[in-house]
Amino acid sequence: MKTVTLINGDGIGPEITDAVVKIIKASGLEINWDLQTAGADVIEKEGTPLPDRVIESIKKNKVALKAPVTTPIGKGFRSVNVQLRKALDLYSNLRPCKNIGGINTRFSDVDLVIVRENTEDLYAGIERQVDENHAESIKIISREASLRIAEFAFDYAVKYNRKKVTAVTKANICKLTDGLFLECCREIKEKYPNIEYNEILVDNACMQLVQNPEKFDVMVLPNLYGDIVSDLCAGLIGGLGVAQGANIGKDYAVFEPVHGSAPDIKGQNKANPTALLLSAIEMLKYIDEVNYAEKIDKALRKTLKEGKILTPDLGGTASTTEFSDEIIKNL
Ligand code: NAI
């Protein structure tokens, strides 16, 4: 039996994690889940939102499925997500974004992939209070991180038969930092003559994405733009409830949805587990359980396509439990 670290998060995390674990079990696949709690709830007992045992578990098992963890706004502890990505050097945040049959959206031909650099940029949160009226944040972009994320994007394009990689920056303003990121993308593209390459500024990219999303294929972005554009793209395919993701490094992989802990619907049994389930399906493929991954994927897509039992974010009235029971019925 394979062992996978399971971080059930907080907010809606535990509800959607229970649903996903139940669906995987019902598929017939036995996974030994190494449950690791993290976030605000463990601080009191363990003095940190990300105890070492979580990192050690992932280092031992090499792979994790993770539900969202809340990060306090403005004050409080550092993001568990940022710390985790940094500690395990999960340098690539991969977020495929494709229309799913049965989910009505403004567009029907979205099929793009976001490759977000996951370790540096303003997202690293290196900040200081200069004086009472000034604060500053340091944007660090390195050649090493930019080269490897560009290489990841082009490798992905080749492996998955994609045609084009688009580098998204604000290099007209952040001439040195985003300029370096672009320089690295240009260097890497020379090694991939069969993949088309272009560049776009992030503001223009946002406009183009909401007008002509079908024009985009693989997009490679520094961390902060990648974070923001990911949510925009989630909106193109039905919202955060269906947007999957994965953090991938050289040695470890942590699969998690794009969305956060959704405190506004916490504990109401109405969160959509689809994004976590799609992330779990990719995790199963990663650990070579392709048959089970496909079986669950088929049942999920059937449920969405039938459209009888859907969670409120998709226009339905079903609870998380009813929706996951329907997937189990369709397995
Ligand atoms: P959010 O993604 O949690 O929620 C945004 C909106 O989408 C809310 O209206 C929410 O109800 C809805 N939503 C999200 N997931 C849904 C689902 N599965 N089913 C149905 N509706 C869903 O973003 P927000 O509110 O900005 O962040 C909440 C907390 O989550 C913050 O502390 C943030 O730092 C954290 N966060 C954690 C992430 C992670 O653990 N990887 C990623 C993003 C945010």
Side-chain angles (χ1 to χ4, degrees):
M1 200 192 304
K2 286 175 182 151
T3 303
V4 174
T5 301
L6 181 66
I7 302 170
N8 63 350
D10 54 28
I12 59 168
E15 302 164 48
I16 55 174
T17 305
D18 286 352
V20 166
V21 166
K22 203 167 84 175
I23 293 165
I24 294 176
K25 192 173 169 56
S27 77
L29 177 64
E30 290 287 340
I31 298 261
N32 179 26
W33 297 108
D34 180 2
L35 179 65
Q36 297 289 332
T37 49
D41 299 347
V42 306
I43 292 185
E44 201 175 312
K45 223 169 112 202
E46 304 187 59
T48 164
L50 183 62
D52 288 344
R53 59 173 168 76
V54 182
I55 308 279
E56 278 155 24
S57 164
I58 301 173
K59 283 191 172 162
K60 190 172 77 202
N61 301 324
K62 311 272 187 248
V63 59
L65 180 65
K66 178 185 163 296
V69 178
T70 304
T71 308
I73 294 177
K75 52 186 168 41
F77 60 83
R78 277 190 68 209
S79 162
V80 165
N81 306 308
V82 172
Q83 287 184 63
L84 196 66
R85 292 165 188 169
K86 194 101 189 133
L88 297 167
D89 200 21
L90 301 166
Y91 67 89
S92 166
N93 197 326
L94 183 64
R95 295 175 157 182
C97 187
K98 188 174 178 188
N99 281 117
I100 302 171
I103 301 180
N104 287 328
T105 57
R106 287 189 173 84
F107 304 97
S108 55
D109 44 8
V110 181
D111 183 8
L112 57 88
V113 179
I114 291 189
V115 176
R116 163 186 171 192
E117 201 289 321
N118 220 11
T119 62
E120 54 184 28
D121 190 12
L122 283 172
Y123 211 88
I126 306 168
E127 295 186 309
R128 74 181 182 113
Q129 192 78 42
V130 179
D131 60 36
E132 202 188 332
N133 299 312
H134 300 87
E136 63 185 20
S137 186
I138 302 174
K139 171 165 168 136
I140 294 176
I141 298 284
S142 71
R143 187 176 298 281
E144 186 196 0
S146 305
L147 285 173
R148 70 179 175 173
I149 197 67
E151 185 120 45
F152 186 99
F154 277 95
D155 276 349
Y156 183 94
V158 171
K159 189 166 171 200
Y160 292 94
N161 253 328
R162 296 274 175 171
K163 305 270 171 297
K164 185 171 75 177
V165 171
T166 303
V168 184
T169 67
K170 191 74 187 166
N172 54 336
I173 303 298
C174 301
K175 293 182 197 297
L176 298 181
T177 47
D178 286 359
L180 176 57
F181 187 89
L182 267 192
E183 192 186 311
C184 293
C185 291
R186 289 173 188 166
E187 184 181 325
I188 295 295
K189 72 136 182 168
E190 296 302 328
K191 296 202 277 177
Y192 297 84
N194 295 328
I195 302 289
E196 196 188 321
Y197 169 76
N198 69 344
E199 297 168 358
I200 186 167
L201 297 177
V202 64
D203 40 353
N204 183 18
C206 289
M207 193 271 291
Q208 301 277 346
L209 276 166
V210 296
Q211 283 198 319
N212 305 300
E214 75 285 350
K215 284 194 176 153
F216 291 87
D217 193 346
V218 177
M219 303 172 78
V220 61
L221 311 89
N223 204 343
L224 184 64
Y225 310 139
D227 175 58
I228 297 165
V229 173
S230 292
D231 273 36
L232 186 158
C233 290
L236 298 174
I237 58 159
L240 285 164
V242 299
Q244 61 171 306
N247 303 283
I248 298 175
K250 203 162 63 65
D251 303 313
Y252 315 108
V254 175
F255 293 80
E256 67 172 339
V258 171
H259 67 72
S261 55
D264 53 337
I265 55 166
K266 171 190 172 179
Q268 297 172 32
N269 196 21
K270 64 182 189 191
N272 189 346
T274 299
L276 184 65
L277 186 59
L278 286 169
S279 309
I281 288 167
E282 288 311 308
M283 182 277 289
L284 293 181
K285 291 183 194 160
Y286 184 84
I287 61 168
D288 289 329
E289 295 290 358
V290 178
N291 289 343
Y292 286 104
E294 284 174 356
K295 183 176 174 184
I296 297 167
D297 194 62
K298 237 167 112 182
L300 168 66
R301 285 174 202 278
K302 182 162 188 267
T303 309
L304 292 170
K305 199 157 192 184
E306 284 174 353
K308 291 187 307 220
I309 305 218
L310 298 176
T311 44
D313 59 306
L314 297 180
T317 54
S319 66
T320 310
T321 316
E322 287 163 340
F323 178 68
S324 30
D325 285 347
E326 184 68 11
I327 297 172
I328 290 172
K329 212 176 88 191
N330 284 329
L331 275 167

